[in-house]
Amino acid sequence: MLPIRTATPDDWQAIASLLSMLFHHTIDPEEDQLDQRQWEPDRSLVITEGDAVVAHATAVTRDLTVPGAVVPAAHVTMVGVAPTHRRRGALTGMMHQQLREVPEPIAVLWASEARIYGRFGYGLAGQRLELSVETSEVRLPAASAPPRLRVVLAAECRPDLAKVYDQLRADRTGWSSRSEATWGYVLSDTAARRNGATALRAVLHEGIGGIDGYALWRTQSSWTSGSNPDSEVLVREVAAANLEAYAALWRFLLSIDLTRTATYGFAAIDEPLVHLVNEPRRLNARFKDSLWVRLVDVGAALAARRYRTDIDVVIEVSDPLLPANNGRWRLTGGAERAACRRTDDSADLACDVRELGAAYLGGTSLTTLAAAGRVRELRPGALTAASTAFGWHRPPSAPEIYNPPMITASLTSL
């Protein structure tokens, strides 16, 4: 295998060329500049041959909301190996080195192919719903009073959006922090992102105390062969602090003139819309995976989150890639605090680090993993107690794929 090194700013164009080939996109100059601004060279690994970058992996510096806490998380992205250099250990080498070097206690990613990352200790920690709503076939309960809604171009109301997002993020497991620079990236509206649709717009809901909800959306114009309207609402993000705002936003999105379908790729598993509409089948919901989590430092990661019930359990962890995680860990804590330290006591449960990643956000239960043969109960009763404690009052959700647009387009239809 060719040597791995840390990237420099001069590597960007070669990296962009590699990624555009791997994810089947032509480089767009505007998008290329946006991607480069988000890229962190000192967190990037490359393998080169001559002037070409033949493999690359990086991480973005952001925080992640986990049960009861906000934790620094390496947001892994832009991972790929040129087809001419596959089966030479390039991906394995980069992923191993990245895990050894990241300072955060956990790493998180969206997988372009789900079968890849389990072998590096990532567990499937979150799922999402993709909705394709037949808007003429569903109804929401009538509003008690006319809502106060305002439609603007999304880039014009960044402070309002950020205020609502940050208010909700503290309690939404799976949501990532957004700096001013990140918001600029999220709301950038290049021609490549539109892909023939309209500009990105925001509809804002104003409650008693000010803006308490928003939705980001576009429309894609279409007409049937009989000249009947058949346009589509492309919903990007919905965030609301209360039911009144949430219902008003969805009534708006599902009743835009000349549209017949509304698609939304980031609905939560517990999305209230499923229970609000009169005909949930017409949402045409499909389960898809979202966040994959890897515990880089088992002790620090398990101590960083909180637990639904009191817990005192000894877990025997195996981690082939990071030997410092191997061994027995006593996890104690509850809703207010937690601690996780090495111990010589007998183990109550045994699992691979991958299973701890899957359970970390509270969306995949330890009992489910045990039923799949991935967790072993060594003391009777320990599994049920630990599985209950690892759960949370809401399953994790993720409102965005934080990869660059060239990668995002390959993971979702939106």
Side-chain angles (χ1 to χ4, degrees):
M1 185 183 73
L2 294 167
I4 301 169
R5 65 169 173 84
T6 301
T8 71
D10 292 338
D11 290 317
W12 172 253
Q13 290 307 320
I15 292 169
S17 179
L18 171 68
L19 295 174
S20 68
M21 175 180 65
L22 295 177
F23 292 95
H24 313 299
H25 285 267
T26 301
I27 294 177
D28 177 83
E30 289 183 291
E31 288 297 332
D32 184 64
Q33 291 182 11
L34 288 169
D35 293 342
Q36 187 173 8
R37 290 189 196 121
Q38 297 297 306
W39 177 61
E40 301 177 42
D42 59 336
R43 302 206 63 175
S44 302
L45 300 174
V46 294
I47 299 175
T48 59
E49 188 170 59
D51 294 331
V53 171
V54 297
H56 176 262
T58 192
V60 179
T61 304
R62 295 174 73 176
D63 294 336
L64 183 73
T65 302
V66 304
V70 175
V71 176
H75 285 56
V76 176
T77 184
M78 298 188 194
V79 180
V81 178
T84 53
H85 289 71
R86 295 177 62 203
R87 310 301 180 199
R88 301 191 195 181
L91 179 62
T92 298
M94 289 191 305
M95 298 306 290
H96 287 199
Q97 183 166 328
Q98 184 182 65
L99 288 171
R100 290 194 300 268
E101 294 179 352
V102 294
E104 297 94 341
I106 63 172
V108 59
L109 57 77
W110 288 78
S112 56
E113 291 187 272
R115 62 186 175 184
I116 295 175
Y117 292 98
R119 59 194 170 107
F120 303 121
Y122 285 86
L124 177 54
Q127 293 181 304
R128 61 187 167 114
L129 296 178
E130 253 190 9
L131 307 180
S132 181
V133 186
E134 301 170 51
T135 56
S136 63
E137 299 295 332
V138 298
R139 294 290 182 274
L140 279 78
S144 58
R148 298 181 64 181
L149 298 174
R150 177 163 54 95
V151 175
V152 295
L153 291 175
E156 296 177 355
C157 58
R158 185 192 306 180
D160 289 323
L161 304 180
K163 180 180 178 181
V164 174
Y165 183 89
D166 287 340
Q167 176 187 347
L168 299 180
R169 183 170 66 89
D171 192 47
R172 287 318 311 258
T173 302
W175 285 28
S176 299
S177 61
R178 289 178 179 174
S179 65
E180 281 296 307
T182 303
W183 271 109
Y185 183 78
V186 169
L187 300 179
S188 180
D189 196 28
T190 65
R193 294 193 187 191
R194 294 181 186 183
N195 195 27
T198 64
L200 184 67
R201 295 186 171 92
V203 54
L204 306 175
H205 181 272
E206 186 172 354
I208 295 175
I211 303 299
D212 58 4
Y214 69 83
L216 303 178
W217 54 284
R218 311 177 187 275
T219 54
Q220 179 75 60
S221 178
S222 180
W223 298 79
T224 69
S225 57
S227 298
N228 293 311
D230 193 32
S231 297
E232 181 179 7
V233 182
L234 307 173
V235 182
R236 167 86 165 273
E237 188 168 299
V238 179
N242 53 66
L243 176 58
E244 179 186 4
Y246 181 86
L249 292 170
W250 275 110
R251 288 191 196 97
F252 173 87
L253 294 169
L254 300 182
S255 61
I256 295 175
D257 287 344
L258 307 182
T259 66
R260 298 295 179 264
T261 307
T263 57
Y264 181 37
F266 299 97
I269 295 299
D270 64 340
E271 193 69 42
L273 185 67
V274 176
H275 304 282
L276 278 175
V277 297
N278 64 334
E279 181 49 275
R281 291 182 182 178
R282 297 306 183 110
L283 299 179
N284 297 300
R286 294 190 303 166
F287 280 95
K288 304 197 81 171
D289 63 294
S290 60
L291 295 177
W292 293 70
V293 171
R294 213 293 182 184
L295 272 59
V296 179
D297 182 331
V298 165
L302 293 181
R305 60 155 289 180
R306 300 296 173 256
Y307 297 87
R308 192 170 189 176
T309 59
D310 289 345
I311 187 171
D312 185 350
V313 64
V314 176
I315 307 173
E316 186 165 352
V317 180
S318 59
D319 188 343
L321 303 188
L322 299 177
N325 287 329
N326 286 323
R328 297 173 189 169
W329 297 86
R330 178 176 289 279
L331 171 63
T332 58
E336 299 298 327
R337 62 185 60 84
C340 188
R341 300 180 178 88
R342 288 195 173 278
T343 181
D344 293 327
D345 294 344
S346 299
D348 303 315
L349 302 174
C351 65
D352 187 87
V353 72
R354 175 180 177 180
E355 278 56 65
L356 290 180
Y360 189 71
L361 298 182
T364 305
S365 73
L366 291 173
T367 52
T368 297
L369 295 167
R374 309 294 300 186
V375 174
R376 291 185 293 126
E377 184 180 49
L378 305 178
R379 176 177 61 80
L383 176 63
T384 298
S387 186
T388 301
F390 266 80
W392 204 240
H393 63 278
R394 296 191 71 176
S397 65
E400 61 173 323
I401 299 176
Y402 56 83
N403 299 298
M406 68 174 72
I407 301 177
T408 301
S410 72
L411 298 181
T412 177
S413 58
L414 297 182

